[in-house]
Amino acid sequence: MEEIRKALEEIDRRDAGLSAFVEVWRKAASATRRDPPGELAGVPLAVKGRSGLRAHTARRLVAAGAVPVGATAVPGPGTPWRTWGLGAHGPTRNPWRSDRTPGGSSAGAAVAVATGMAALATGGDGAGSVRIPAAWCGVFGLKTSNGLLPSPDPTGLAAPGLLARTAADALAALHCLLGAPGAPGPGTAPAPGAPLRAVWSADLGFADGVDPGVLAVAEAAVGRLESAGVLATTGSAPVLADPADAWRAVRGGRPEEARAVREGNDRVLDALFAAAEVLVTPTTPNRPHGHDGPGPDRYSTALTWAFNLSGHPAASIPAGFTPDGCPVGLQLVAPRGSDVSLVGRSVALQRVLTTLRP
């Protein structure tokens, strides 16, 4: 159980300064004397929140051999914004910039994976809660297609998600969640194919004020992918309706007020996916903000929550760093139900985008 021992050592060494966990299950994890059977035998798993082990995703991953090491930090009470975490040692800190938030609400999950305190983590994504912390902590994050896996959210906005260091590791976990036999193990990837046909959009047609530093990193990442022959951009950028009011209406139990926005955006996305395999955007319009919040009228969810309304699967791949050392994510959105294909094709893309901190 070498992986478990190393993960617990990293927790002992780093969590007091990062506060990624609310609980560490050191005794139970250490008691696993040999690799349990399954595709994920002995993989250190962090679960989102104190009740995370009861979630469908955690139960399936544990059944596949993953070993839970602890419950990760989520936002605490008393704040109207959710892009932060509160762990056992105070506010959860971004592992790249301690003065910045890691994003949320899967805050501790992203930090745990980014620092080797876990190899895999569960998350939930209702507006970007997996993709945002994945982008800001420099790891891979997946929001599954809405309805693909069980979710306790009665509004249907939230979908289960995964965080991992690589898309290849997430692919192995996704196969286990879906019960697919013969899934590839961590570190493996499908054979390369033709370039991924993609439509690039900087702002989805409505997001004002995208940080020029974030945009520059994302655009450079797309250029690198095209030069490597794994991505081919095509078509014109889509113009979606801003989903903010529609998302709030659904969350508030008034889904009828969101119908026009949902139907209009679905038409645009249906036409896009008739000609392309993925839509590519920056994951967030901004870089990680400070622990005092994002500021008034700034929404880190601006480029993510449209796909909680539409139900499409979406992933965030590490794209690089801004000059001041903040990670940036590249969001890939795919047709509903194409989760395995999305993650599988992300493997080759992430390999091209491997970057070092400036």
Side-chain angles (χ1 to χ4, degrees), residues 73-87 90-93 100-108 132-133 136 289-294:
V74 295
T79 175
W81 44 276
R82 310 292 288 173
T83 52
W84 71 304
L86 184 63
T92 309
R93 299 188 177 277
R100 307 292 177 93
T101 175
S105 60
S106 304
I132 293 168
W136 287 357
H289 55 73
H291 294 282
D292 55 350

Side-chain angles (χ1 to χ4, degrees), residues 53-242:
L53 270 181
R54 296 199 296 268
H56 173 83
T57 49
R59 288 186 284 109
R60 291 299 295 264
L61 295 174
V62 171
V67 178
V69 297
T72 58
V74 295
T79 175
W81 44 276
R82 310 292 288 173
T83 52
W84 71 304
L86 184 63
H89 306 283
T92 309
R93 299 188 177 277
N94 190 301
W96 299 100
R97 287 280 305 261
S98 63
D99 61 330
R100 307 292 177 93
T101 175
S105 60
S106 304
V111 175
V113 169
T115 56
M117 292 190 279
L120 184 68
T122 60
D125 192 313
S129 295
V130 165
R131 289 162 287 164
I132 293 168
W136 287 357
C137 291
V139 300
F140 180 85
L142 171 70
K143 179 197 87 70
T144 56
S145 294
N146 294 46
L148 180 71
L149 297 168
S151 169
D153 179 17
T155 69
L157 290 172
L162 292 167
L163 297 105
R165 293 292 289 271
T166 68
D169 289 348
L171 181 61
L174 181 60
H175 276 289
C176 293
L177 290 178
L178 299 178
T188 63
L196 191 62
R197 290 177 289 112
V199 173
W200 160 255
S201 175
D203 57 10
L204 295 176
F206 64 81
D208 295 329
V210 176
D211 183 322
V214 169
L215 185 57
V217 173
E219 288 179 332
V222 171
R224 290 167 60 193
L225 295 171
E226 289 189 296
S227 296
V230 296
L231 189 80
T233 55
T234 183
S236 56
V239 177
L240 299 181
D242 188 336

Side-chain angles (χ1 to χ4, degrees), residues 290-331:
H291 294 282
D292 55 350
D297 302 320
R298 288 179 61 84
Y299 292 96
S300 305
T301 58
L303 299 174
T304 53
W305 54 1
F307 309 110
N308 296 90
L309 275 173
S310 69
H312 292 82
S316 180
I317 299 177
F321 293 83
T322 57
D324 61 346
C326 292
V328 173
L330 197 65
Q331 178 176 230

Side-chain angles (χ1 to χ4, degrees), residues 216-297:
V217 173
E219 288 179 332
V222 171
R224 290 167 60 193
L225 295 171
E226 289 189 296
S227 296
V230 296
L231 189 80
T233 55
T234 183
S236 56
V239 177
L240 299 181
D242 188 336
D245 290 341
W247 187 94
R248 293 190 189 97
V250 174
R251 179 59 75 193
R254 308 182 308 280
E256 66 283 354
E257 296 179 19
R259 184 176 296 114
V261 168
R262 278 182 143 166
E263 291 178 350
N265 283 353
D266 281 352
R267 284 193 294 271
V268 173
L269 293 169
D270 288 347
L272 185 152
F273 290 126
E277 296 171 271
V278 293
L279 167 63
V280 182
T281 77
T283 304
T284 65
N286 53 334
R287 61 189 84 190
H289 55 73
H291 294 282
D292 55 350
D297 302 320

Side-chain angles (χ1 to χ4, degrees), residues 1 4 8 25-36 67-68:
M1 299 298 291
I4 300 302
L8 292 173
W25 304 319
R26 186 175 290 98
K27 184 176 181 180
S30 300
T32 307
R33 299 298 181 187
R34 59 184 179 84
D35 287 350
V67 178

